[in-house]
Amino acid sequence: MFISPVNFTGATKYIYSKDATKQEMTVEVKLAEDARRHGVEVPSYKGQVFPEGLALKYFIEGDPADPKTNPIMQAHLENLFSNFYKLEEIGLHHSLLNSNNVSYGKNGKVEIESMRSAQTFSTGEGYSALMPSNADSYEENGLCYYVDGIEDKYKQNGFLREYLKQKSKYHKERAELLIQKGTGATSKAVVAEDIKCEALRKPSNEIINHTRDKFEIYILRNEAAKMWHEGNIHTNGKAKPKKRFISAALTLEVLKRAVLLEENAKNMSKDALNADEREYFGLEAEQLGAIKEDALKTLKENGAKNFGDKTYGKQGLFLGTKADEEFYSETFKTIKNAVKENKPAETINMALNILGNFYRARIKDWTMENNAIYRKTYESEQDKADIIPIEGHRIKITGTGKNEGVGYIAK
């Protein structure tokens, strides 16, 4: 699995003043120098004046990880976690640890760049005892793509097993660091690190499969955020509304998977034979609950906004009629209540399938011509949807819009 690459191209990158302010470049150098003094591997920097303005010049020893051309070796993993720990030791959490900002070179060398994206934090008495994890940041923004790129499932399992074993040592060091910073040894934060350390020492197939499923959720969530951002950019006066539509559809899928994986984690926290695993899956269920709540919040804000955003571009953005929007909102409300009441994943996801099918149908039917027609229903008081709960398990929608019908919400 851990085959040494033949060679490294390395790279030279620039931060130009047109892309970053002088203050941001000053922060970059200051944080990089501070991190280097404490043993963090960061690229060498050099200031240089170009016709375009002031720039920082990176000298990078290595390349982004790639399963085929530049695989992550065991020595890389050891140095990766060492860098993450040393950042936390000096109170830095890097929020942009994606594939472009972590480079892998010869002899296990790992370099972390874009240090201006690192924020300071404090732990211990008088502060939050929860120490942000650079490893988690990298998993969510970069490593999930690397794992997804390993085509052979056997090799994928092997990499995840080795990664999690190395992460076990990282959690042990974090527990000790929290205690050094004044967090009580019996605090929830320290106990959580101890649980992760023990559970990942010899990760089971259940933990490996769970990690892979969680990484897939990260990818979907990242792509949804990217689509939403790109859908809000007006290039040459032209908007890309369908990217906003796709973003909400992807977030629906994030919610479906998070609901199911959270339920599986809760079941494992009850049924796992190993006590450390039971506690570990309990912690994972909490994390997935947070992902689920974040997806719900995003769907409420972005999903509904696609139906009636009068400020979008020159024409506004209307994915459907006013009746469609009210159906979306009422169905979403039913789903949110089901989540709040801890209904079974099967029940929640049946409702999400109904909403997803409805939403995708609206995307398929949408055109700029229909957008203008849909807008009129928002401006007319006569086109109000009448949404009536029936027998507590289905929603009936009637109205003058072309998509009137009945949507069934399972108990």
Side-chain angles (χ1 to χ4, degrees), residues 4-182:
S4 177
V6 175
N7 57 65
F8 294 90
T9 61
T12 302
K13 297 183 181 179
Y14 298 92
I15 308 177
Y16 290 103
S17 55
K18 64 180 180 181
D19 296 323
T21 65
K22 186 175 181 179
Q23 181 181 3
E24 287 175 320
M25 289 192 284
T26 301
V27 170
E28 176 80 23
V29 173
K30 181 179 181 301
L31 289 178
E33 288 179 348
D34 190 34
R36 186 183 289 110
R37 282 197 301 271
H38 289 85
V40 181
E41 294 177 298
V42 296
S44 298
Y45 295 97
K46 182 180 179 181
Q48 195 165 345
V49 178
F50 289 84
E52 302 95 311
L54 181 66
L56 283 179
K57 191 176 183 180
Y58 286 45
F59 297 94
I60 299 166
E61 298 180 41
D63 299 300
D66 184 278
K68 294 179 180 178
T69 62
N70 192 25
I72 300 174
M73 302 180 291
Q74 184 169 347
H76 285 136
L77 291 177
E78 293 172 0
N79 287 333
L80 182 70
F81 286 114
S82 175
N83 278 300
F84 291 160
Y85 172 77
K86 287 173 181 175
L87 283 171
E88 288 152 18
E89 194 174 28
I90 58 176
L92 287 176
H93 176 249
H94 198 310
S95 62
L96 199 61
L97 286 171
N98 56 35
S99 300
N100 294 325
N101 289 332
V102 181
S103 298
Y104 296 83
K106 294 178 181 178
N107 302 318
K109 187 176 181 65
V110 176
E111 287 187 330
I112 297 174
E113 55 187 276
S114 293
M115 289 300 298
R116 65 190 181 283
S117 296
Q119 291 89 33
T120 58
F121 67 87
S122 298
T123 60
E125 188 175 354
Y127 297 96
S128 169
L130 296 177
M131 181 163 55
S133 168
N134 285 294
D136 287 350
S137 175
Y138 184 49
E139 287 178 4
E140 293 175 24
N141 297 293
L143 190 69
C144 56
Y145 293 98
Y146 178 84
V147 171
D148 188 60
I150 303 175
E151 296 176 359
D152 186 296
K153 294 302 178 185
Y154 178 78
K155 291 183 178 179
Q156 193 181 71
N157 280 5
F159 173 80
L160 282 171
R161 189 179 301 277
E162 187 60 35
Y163 173 81
L164 294 172
K165 284 167 64 177
Q166 293 295 331
K167 196 180 183 188
S168 168
K169 302 172 188 176
Y170 165 77
H171 286 299
K172 183 177 186 297
E173 292 176 331
R174 278 170 57 87
E176 294 169 352
L177 181 60
L178 280 167
I179 293 172
Q180 290 174 16
K181 287 179 173 288

Side-chain angles (χ1 to χ4, degrees), residues 127-296:
Y127 297 96
S128 169
L130 296 177
M131 181 163 55
S133 168
N134 285 294
D136 287 350
S137 175
Y138 184 49
E139 287 178 4
E140 293 175 24
N141 297 293
L143 190 69
C144 56
Y145 293 98
Y146 178 84
V147 171
D148 188 60
I150 303 175
E151 296 176 359
D152 186 296
K153 294 302 178 185
Y154 178 78
K155 291 183 178 179
Q156 193 181 71
N157 280 5
F159 173 80
L160 282 171
R161 189 179 301 277
E162 187 60 35
Y163 173 81
L164 294 172
K165 284 167 64 177
Q166 293 295 331
K167 196 180 183 188
S168 168
K169 302 172 188 176
Y170 165 77
H171 286 299
K172 183 177 186 297
E173 292 176 331
R174 278 170 57 87
E176 294 169 352
L177 181 60
L178 280 167
I179 293 172
Q180 290 174 16
K181 287 179 173 288
T183 304
T186 58
S187 69
K188 182 177 179 180
V190 174
V191 169
E193 298 296 338
D194 288 336
I195 289 170
K196 293 174 184 178
C197 170
E198 293 304 318
L200 300 182
R201 196 183 298 275
K202 294 182 179 179
S204 66
N205 288 333
E206 287 76 18
I207 288 179
I208 290 169
N209 291 334
H210 172 87
T211 303
R212 182 192 297 107
D213 292 341
K214 185 171 64 173
F215 281 10
E216 289 176 356
I217 291 174
Y218 291 156
I219 292 173
L220 284 169
R221 186 173 64 176
N222 292 343
E223 292 306 303
K226 179 183 175 183
M227 284 286 186
W228 184 263
H229 174 71
E230 292 179 355
N232 282 311
I233 294 175
H234 295 249
T235 306
N236 298 324
K238 294 182 179 179
K240 299 178 180 178
K242 285 210 171 183
K243 290 199 172 187
R244 284 195 13 168
F245 301 158
I246 293 170
S247 173
L250 288 172
T251 306
L252 279 166
E253 184 63 25
V254 168
L255 182 55
K256 282 175 59 178
R257 295 196 187 198
V259 165
L260 183 58
L261 196 57
E262 180 194 32
E263 183 173 271
N264 289 344
K266 286 180 178 179
N267 290 336
M268 289 300 298
S269 71
K270 297 176 185 175
D271 302 335
L273 298 178
N274 183 294
D276 293 325
E277 281 195 21
R278 288 198 297 272
E279 292 177 317
Y280 177 81
F281 278 111
L283 293 173
E284 287 293 293
E286 289 182 19
Q287 183 188 10
L288 286 158
I291 292 173
K292 183 182 67 179
E293 290 300 321
D294 182 66
L296 279 168

Side-chain angles (χ1 to χ4, degrees), residues 259-260 263 343-353 410-411:
V259 165
L260 183 58
E263 183 173 271
K343 297 286 186 183
E346 182 180 8
T347 298
I348 296 169
N349 284 348
M350 283 179 67
L352 281 168
N353 284 336
K411 284 184 177 179

